[in-house]
Structure formats: structure tokens, C-alpha cells
Amino acid sequence: MIRQYELVEKVKAYDPEADEDLINRAYVFSMKAHGSQRRASGDPYFLHPLEVAGILANMRLDTGSIVTALLHDTVEDTVATNEEIHKAFGAEIAQLVDGVTKLSKLELQDAEAKQAENFRKLVLAMSKDIRVLLVKLADRLHNMRTLDAIPSEDKRRRIARETIEIYAPLAERIGMNEMKDELEDLAFSHLNPDARASIVRRLSELRLEGGESVPGVLEELCAVLEENGISASVTGREKRPYSIWRKMQRKSIPFEQLMDIMAFRIVVSDVADCYQALGIIHATYASIPGRFKDYISTPKPNGYQSLHTAVIGPMRRRIEIQIRTELMHRVAELGVAAHWSYKQGGPEVEVETQRYRWLQELLDILDQAQKPEEFLEHTKLELFQDQVFCFTPKGMLIALPQHATPVDFAYAVHSEIGDTCIGARVNGRMVTLRQQLQNGDQVDIITSRTSTPSPEWERFVATGKARARIRRFVRLQQRSQYANLGKALLQKVFRNEGYDFTEKAVEGTLKAFKAMSTEDIYASIGAGNTPARDVFAQIFPGHKSAVQKSQTGDDANVVPLSKARKTQPRGHGQPLPIRGLIPGMAVHYARCCHPIPGDRIVGIVTTGKGVTIHTIDCETLENFYETPERWIDVSWDSDASNGEDHVGRLHAVIANEPGSLGTLTTVIGKNGGNITNLKITHRSIDFFEMLIDVDVSDVKHLTHIIAALRATPVITQVDRARSG
């Protein structure tokens, strides 16, 4: 256990202006507060905050962080209060301690809700001061180092999963790679001990086989650089077991095919030497294609900078090499802690927090999420570590998780751009909003002031921010639809009973229905929760209808909006089975491609006709590439194939012999199709070529008909027609 004077000396060694008295008082306060408390391992509890302080001192953090580490469990686990902390150590320390303190005393119904609420508070606290996160990460690191002492396997696994899903990604986001690697590996040992043991065994065997090779590689790399006038420090490091396992899983390759189990790091004095060293390495050894990455000219969002390359190096070994300056190396290992300002308080803390825009994005998600569990779900999406880096047309770098789409990109730039997005150009080419982005893509988002988010987007977005914003819009839109329907139903009851409808009359019922506004009442009626006649009866309690309404009355046939589209047949005036359109918009199906449910589709705004629906591969779309503002991202409703037929057009070639046309129509009829139009486009002595319009329910239905026709001897060819 580190002693009091040793902790003070360690801090004073890197920060001579550190407040020695404050650290000593915090040490004594914490030791007295925890008293005789013991941890699960049997060690004195005070050992934990002391070790957390030691971890932060090794990271060379400021006095406020060290003091917070010593005090971080006093409010939660002892009789000490936040008021006492404030009185003894000041407002800044009290705020930091309160930010780190977990809500373990809050009685929530289940573990997931408790975890979500704890994390919500952590995000709010660290948005005000990033040191809250640094102390929390050090706290979690020491807890993981001592996790074996917890007797319950389920509890150990729960803590390990929380660590690998939330805290390790948070450490990565602020550039603390050493801490991230250790947190992941400690969690891995509890979540998949057999896999970790297997990789550790293979690493041991590898060390025995190549015991002489690593020093040899280091020696040769140093000699090559020195011969070319580069002064550098060259070291080797072994990948951690979890990092190896994750790469094996991601690339589906065995242990033997990994080329970067051992990585060699070249640290030079300045940026110019980085590129010169890279040139020397590539001139001396054969580089492996596709493995070079320049994170100096394009740093990662957390500030990481380095050159990465892979070569067939000394002794014909495939090795990975990282080249960076000393400052880059410190940032790579310690992230935000590497360039921390030791002056307590002041603007440095605020500036440091502002460097990490993802913190603001987490706050945006917190604002949009309906409940803590939803916030936690979106946050896990936001913290994915496998990323793609894309650019705006002005060169601004946007980091996104893998499988991100232009919609994710739009929301990452700004929420309003996401809300009004209607299309996108990627590398100068129009793409659909579903297209997955790749590293280096330049993305230009096309917007329209009248556009709104499509509920369909939630199916393919990859970021928590986009999903939270879309869900919020859908909730508000659904409420608006319910309110409009409910108001119309109430107005109908007023008309049927001979009264003029007024908002003022409805306002008088707010108290009776425990509503905050008339819109709440309308929404409740539209959702089917409150009958319109009950509201009318509350307004006119003495009214007697001329004809007593029974189960066949006005409200008996009212179908809540949430069920209306499933229970009412689609006919003239009914909503089309397409998502992403503005209510009431005129819609037509393109005759060039005849889209049917199951096809990927896109909408094109057509002058005088509203929106025309095309299949995504329709050749006609080439005519609209220069007018992207006319494109609308749409998709079929989930029940688009129920209760309505759609025209599928077939191109067929049949034998010119008696009965062949009758055979064709019989096959189509037996498979549930109805021919609505048939046109012979070409005839010869042996064959007829024709276009056939068939009513079908969806793509699957049409595919079955095509398969049946192809199996018929007199039909030599049949395909889906895409034009004409």
C-alpha cells in the first residue's frame, strides 16, 4: 500500500505547485471515514481509494483529481455527506466527488435501469468536467484488477460486461489506450476465460519459438535508421489477448495469420523525421499493400497521431511498425491526461472538455431518449470502436461507426441537417440514404426545409444520436396524428348532436381527464384510450340524444390510428403502403419499372403528378441525377402486400403452337396471378414475344409465377420487364 508521504512526493515530482496540504487532509479524511470497512478481498477499504489516487498520480494528473480519487467513495459508502466535502475541500472538489459518486443508494426496480441511471448521471457530470471521467476510469480499473475477490460469478460477469461495453470505449474515446487495453483484457478474462487462456498459451509458444528474433528485429531497425541519419528509439510491444481475439473474430482468421501480434514502435523527435523514417523503412523492406495508415495528417477524433505500416521486415518476418514523435506517443498512451493543465480550475478544463464533441453528442442523446434504458442503448451504439472516417465537402473530419450511412453522417454534422436530409452525394455520385459509408468518403448531404425524418431510417442507422432523434420525431409525429384524428372524431360527435364545436368547451374538461392541454385529450381520443362521447358527455352532462347510441354508434366503429392501416382495406383515398411520404401527397407507380412490395424503391418528385415511385435499379433514374432535390427516400410499409394487388410486368417468349397461350394463362391463374393486360411485341414463325401485366401481392408472389412459367415446356424464356 502506498504511504501518505509517498503519494504526496509522487505528485510533487511532476507538479511542484501541487497543494500538499489539501492532499494530506483528503488522505486523513478518507482514512477516518472508511475506518474499519473491508472489501470483498478482506483488505481495508481505504486501500481502494488510495490505489485509485496512485493510478491517477502515475498518469500525472492535477491535485483536484488526486483529492477526488481519495474521497470518491466517502459519500456513497460512509456517513460523510457532500455538504461536509464542500465545507472541508471547497466547491470544485465537492462537484467532482458528486459526479463520480454512483447512485447505488437509489432503489430502482432492476439492475439494467440502475446501470442506465448511473451512467446518465456520469455523462452529465463529465460533460461539466472531464476529470470526473478520469477518476471514474481509474476507479473501474482498480475494481477490475481486484474482481476475482467477488464470490458471485454472475456479478463478476455483469461488471466485466459493463466494463467492456461502456468504460473501455470511453477510455478509447479520450485516447487512453493503455487503460482501454487493460480494461478490455481484464474483462475478457472473466467473460471468456477459455479463449483468453488459449491465446495466452499460443503467445507463450510464440515467444519460445522466436525468442531471439525480437531483439534481432529491434537491432536491425535501429541500425537501418542510424545509417540514414535518423535518431530514434525503437521498442517492441505484444498485442494483448483480447485485441488478438477480437481481430481473429472480426477477420475470421486463425492465430497464425495475424501479422501484428508483435508491433514495433519508432519514436523520433519531430514530424519531418516521422515521414523520413517511413521512407527509409519502405525503401529498405517490401511494404504489404493496404496496410499503410496516416493518422498524423488525419488524426483520430481522440487526438491519436501516428504512422502505421506493415512490411516484410528483418529475417523475412511480417511486422507492423508505428512511427510517431515523443509527444504523439504520450498522447497515444495517456490521451487527455497527456496534455492536462496542472493549474487547478481555470479555462483549461473547459477547453479540454470541448475537444471531445462526442460528449455533446451523448448529451444530445440524453435529451432525446425517453427513458434511461433507451439512453444506455443509444450510447452503446455511439461508443462503437470500429470506425470509418469521412469528410464534409469543406474537409471536416467526421468519425462514425462501421456500417454508418449518410443519415448518420448528416446527424453527426448537425441535428437539423439530419432532420431535413433528403439525399446524399458520396464522392460526387448520388447514392441512397441506406448506403454504407467507407473510410475516406467525401459526403455531401442534400437537404430540404420541408423534409422530415422518415421512421424507416431507424432500420438502418448505426449511431445512437441518429436513432434517438428519429425515435423522438416518430413519437411527436404519432402524437400529432392521434391528436388530429381525435379532434376530428370529437367534432363529428358535436355535429351529430347539433352543437357547434369550440376549443373553449374542451378546455373545461382538462381537470376531469387529468390532462395538461386540449391536445392531450385529442391524442387520447385518437389513440382509442378515451371515447369521444365520454368527452362530449363531460361537456354536456344533461344532454339526451334523440336516438340512444348502442354498440353500433359513432364510436363503436372508430378504429385507433395505430390499428387503422391494418384493419381498413385500401381503396381510393386510403393511405398508400409506402413509408417516408408526407401525408396527403399524390403518389404514382412508375410504368417504366412497375415497382411492387419487396422491391427497393425511391421516390421522384414529378411536376404536376406528386411523387412517382421507381425501383432503385430503374434506368429512368439516370435522368434525375442532376436534380437530387427531387429524390425522396421511401420504402414499402411492413404490411404493403396485405389486401392490395400490384402490377408486375413480365417479358415472355413462348412457342408459336396451338394451346401455348392458353397454357401460359392457366399457369399464371393457378399460381394466384390475374392477367390485366397482354401485348404481343414481336412474332415469328416459331415464337411469340410479349409483355404481360399480372396482378400480384409482392415480389415473392411474382417470383413464384416466374418460376412456374419457366418450368413450362412451351415457354422458352420469361423475365421481369424493366421498361416499356
Side-chain angles (χ1 to χ4, degrees):
M1 182 173 79
I2 186 172
R3 293 183 173 86
Q4 181 175 351
Y5 75 90
E6 292 174 331
L7 177 64
V8 173
E9 287 180 355
K10 180 178 285 191
V11 176
K12 296 280 282 187
Y14 63 81
D15 183 11
E17 298 181 9
D19 191 334
E20 182 177 347
D21 177 64
L22 192 65
I23 297 174
N24 285 328
R25 287 193 290 113
Y27 186 102
V28 173
F29 184 96
S30 180
M31 184 170 61
K32 288 182 177 179
H34 288 293
S36 59
Q37 288 179 342
R38 298 275 171 178
R39 304 194 83 210
S41 62
D43 293 328
Y45 194 95
F46 177 62
L47 178 64
H48 169 65
L50 191 57
E51 289 294 332
V52 173
I55 291 171
L56 296 179
N58 289 335
M59 291 159 52
R60 303 166 65 88
L61 287 187
D62 67 318
T63 303
S65 301
I66 304 300
V67 170
T68 302
L70 291 170
L71 301 173
H72 78 274
D73 274 341
T74 54
V75 174
E76 178 185 346
D77 295 323
T78 76
V79 296
T81 64
N82 197 256
E83 289 74 19
E84 290 181 68
I85 301 292
H86 188 283
K87 185 177 180 180
F89 300 98
E92 179 188 5
I93 299 299
Q95 183 177 352
L96 287 169
V97 171
D98 184 56
V100 180
T101 300
K102 295 178 294 184
L103 296 178
S104 59
K105 296 179 181 179
L106 186 63
E107 293 297 331
L108 294 175
Q109 293 184 356
D110 56 67
E112 184 179 359
K114 182 175 180 178
Q115 179 198 42
E117 183 62 25
N118 289 340
F119 188 63
R120 183 191 69 83
K121 183 179 180 184
L122 174 61
V123 169
L124 288 172
M126 72 187 186
S127 68
K128 299 173 184 175
D129 194 325
I130 198 71
R131 289 176 295 177
V132 168
L133 178 57
L134 299 178
V135 177
K136 188 64 181 176
L137 289 173
D139 171 50
R140 178 52 61 112
L141 179 59
H142 185 252
N143 282 333
M144 289 301 299
R145 287 174 177 175
T146 57
L147 193 59
D148 285 324
I150 295 177
S152 169
E153 182 182 353
D154 288 343
K155 186 174 182 180
R156 292 198 303 270
R157 289 179 63 83
R158 178 182 60 77
I159 294 172
R161 186 163 300 283
E162 182 181 73
T163 299
I164 212 165
E165 289 182 351
I166 294 177
Y167 289 98
L170 281 172
E172 193 273 341
R173 276 299 183 98
I174 59 173
M176 302 179 71
N177 292 314
E178 279 294 310
M179 180 174 284
K180 180 210 74 165
D181 289 343
E182 186 174 355
L183 285 171
E184 286 179 337
D185 207 42
L186 289 168
F188 184 44
S189 67
H190 291 278
L191 294 173
N192 201 338
D194 294 338
R196 187 181 186 279
S198 173
I199 292 173
V200 168
R201 185 176 63 254
R202 301 294 294 276
L203 286 173
S204 298
E205 294 169 357
L206 191 66
R207 290 189 210 104
L208 290 175
E209 293 171 5
E212 301 298 323
S213 63
V214 173
V217 171
L218 291 173
E219 185 177 345
E220 184 170 329
L221 288 176
C222 285
V224 167
L225 292 169
E226 189 173 344
E227 288 172 7
N228 289 273
I230 295 291
S231 175
S233 166
V234 184
T235 57
R237 63 120 178 105
E238 186 178 84
K239 262 187 180 290
R240 288 185 178 264
Y242 176 72
S243 182
I244 293 172
W245 179 82
R246 188 173 62 184
K247 192 161 191 175
M248 290 168 60
Q249 297 296 310
R250 188 174 68 246
K251 296 196 172 183
S252 299
I253 56 176
F255 182 89
E256 291 75 16
Q257 291 186 21
L258 293 176
M259 70 178 66
D260 56 351
I261 291 175
M262 280 298 298
F264 295 86
R265 187 173 294 136
I266 298 173
V267 180
V268 295
S269 58
D270 55 39
V271 173
D273 284 350
C274 288
Y275 288 100
Q276 188 174 348
L278 176 70
I280 293 167
I281 295 297
H282 280 181
T284 307
Y285 306 107
S287 63
I288 299 173
R291 295 302 304 273
F292 171 66
K293 295 177 182 177
D294 186 348
Y295 292 120
I296 293 180
S297 64
T298 309
K300 290 186 178 182
N302 60 17
Y304 177 88
Q305 290 184 288
S306 189
L307 298 176
H308 290 197
T309 190
V311 298
I312 307 297
M315 294 174 276
R316 304 296 299 168
R317 291 194 57 175
R318 293 157 65 97
I319 60 173
E320 181 185 87
I321 296 176
Q322 300 169 356
I323 307 172
R324 59 181 66 149
T325 66
E326 183 62 40
L327 176 59
M328 292 175 191
H329 180 58
R330 289 202 303 273
V331 172
E333 299 302 303
L334 297 176
V336 60
H339 41 76
W340 185 259
S341 172
Y342 302 118
K343 298 183 185 300
Q344 298 184 36
E348 293 84 357
V349 173
E350 184 179 350
V351 170
E352 196 56 53
T353 299
Q354 289 175 350
R355 290 185 68 250
Y356 299 97
R357 58 174 292 166
W358 58 271
L359 264 178
Q360 184 57 49
E361 291 176 357
L362 291 189
L363 291 174
D364 290 343
I365 294 173
L366 182 60
D367 182 55
Q368 308 296 338
Q370 195 171 25
K371 52 186 178 179
E373 294 91 326
E374 189 176 301
F375 168 58
L376 188 62
E377 172 199 343
H378 298 331
T379 300
K380 287 177 181 177
L381 285 175
E382 202 67 29
L383 292 175
F384 278 163
Q385 297 175 49
D386 296 326
Q387 294 178 314
V388 293
F389 299 95
C390 303
F391 297 88
T392 67
K394 294 183 178 180
M396 177 183 173
L397 177 67
I398 302 290
L400 298 165
Q402 283 189 345
H403 312 303
T405 65
V407 175
D408 296 294
F409 184 93
Y411 277 109
V413 174
H414 197 281
S415 296
E416 289 186 6
I417 293 178
D419 285 346
T420 57
C421 170
I422 60 168
R425 287 192 186 91
V426 174
N427 302 324
R429 183 173 60 88
M430 285 295 301
V431 300
T432 67
L433 294 178
R434 289 178 175 81
Q435 176 154 322
Q436 294 182 3
L437 300 176
Q438 306 296 323
N439 265 322
D441 281 348
Q442 185 184 77
V443 185
D444 184 9
I445 299 297
I446 302 162
T447 61
S448 170
R449 291 182 180 179
T450 59
S451 181
T452 57
S454 167
E456 180 67 18
W457 293 354
E458 191 183 341
R459 296 187 179 186
F460 57 78
V461 294
T463 58
K465 180 179 181 181
R467 184 164 296 177
R469 186 82 182 188
I470 294 164
R471 283 188 180 178
R472 178 177 181 271
F473 174 80
V474 170
R475 283 198 301 268
L476 294 176
Q477 185 186 52
Q478 186 181 57
R479 174 181 167 81
S480 176
Q481 291 175 340
Y482 282 158
N484 291 338
L485 177 62
K487 186 174 182 178
L489 292 173
L490 189 56
Q491 287 172 335
K492 181 181 179 182
V493 174
F494 269 69
R495 286 196 307 271
N496 289 346
E497 299 300 334
Y499 289 87
D500 290 332
F501 176 83
T502 64
E503 290 277 347
K504 187 176 180 181
V506 182
E507 288 176 2
T509 67
L510 294 180
K511 187 175 181 181
F513 290 99
K514 298 179 180 178
M516 298 296 293
S517 66
T518 55
E519 187 177 5
D520 290 342
I521 292 179
Y522 299 147
S524 182
I525 295 172
N529 298 326
T530 303
R533 191 158 294 281
D534 286 1
V535 178
F536 178 82
Q538 183 67 36
I539 299 171
F540 304 104
H543 175 78
K544 298 291 184 182
S545 298
V547 179
Q548 293 297 322
K549 305 295 182 182
S550 63
Q551 290 299 317
T552 59
D554 291 339
D555 290 343
N557 293 322
V558 172
V559 181
L561 186 64
S562 58
K563 300 179 181 178
R565 292 186 179 180
K566 297 181 181 179
T567 59
Q568 297 179 10
R570 291 190 183 97
H572 181 70
Q574 294 295 331
L576 284 166
I578 296 175
R579 298 183 178 182
L581 296 174
I582 299 172
M585 181 179 290
V587 179
H588 305 271
Y589 298 119
R591 296 182 60 81
C592 49
C593 54
H594 291 277
I596 58 178
D599 287 329
R600 293 179 61 197
I601 56 176
V602 65
I604 299 294
V605 177
T606 308
T607 304
K609 292 185 178 181
V611 174
T612 303
I613 305 300
H614 294 260
T615 60
I616 200 69
D617 55 354
C618 179
E619 294 179 359
T620 309
L621 294 178
E622 294 179 3
N623 301 329
F624 303 99
Y625 282 167
E626 300 303 319
T627 54
E629 66 277 4
R630 297 171 65 180
W631 293 59
I632 299 178
D633 195 61
V634 295
S635 65
W636 293 104
D637 206 331
S638 57
D639 62 344
S641 60
N642 294 337
E644 182 178 353
D645 287 331
H646 300 262
V647 177
R649 176 162 289 186
L650 300 178
H651 170 262
V653 179
I654 68 173
N656 185 2
E657 60 185 56
S660 60
L661 188 58
T663 301
L664 179 142
T665 58
T666 300
V667 170
I668 292 175
K670 283 184 177 180
N671 284 273
N674 179 45
I675 297 176
T676 58
N677 191 27
L678 187 150
K679 179 182 179 182
I680 297 176
T681 58
H682 181 74
R683 69 179 69 203
S684 66
I685 296 176
D686 299 316
F687 298 101
F688 284 151
E689 192 171 346
M690 62 185 66
L691 292 175
I692 310 162
D693 289 347
V694 184
D695 277 348
V696 293
S697 57
D698 53 23
V699 167
K700 185 177 180 181
H701 186 189
L702 186 62
T703 303
H704 287 166
I705 291 175
I706 291 173
L709 290 172
R710 286 175 176 170
T712 305
V714 296
I715 301 172
T716 60
Q717 179 184 338
V718 61
D719 298 286
R720 189 171 172 188
R722 293 293 184 180
S723 62

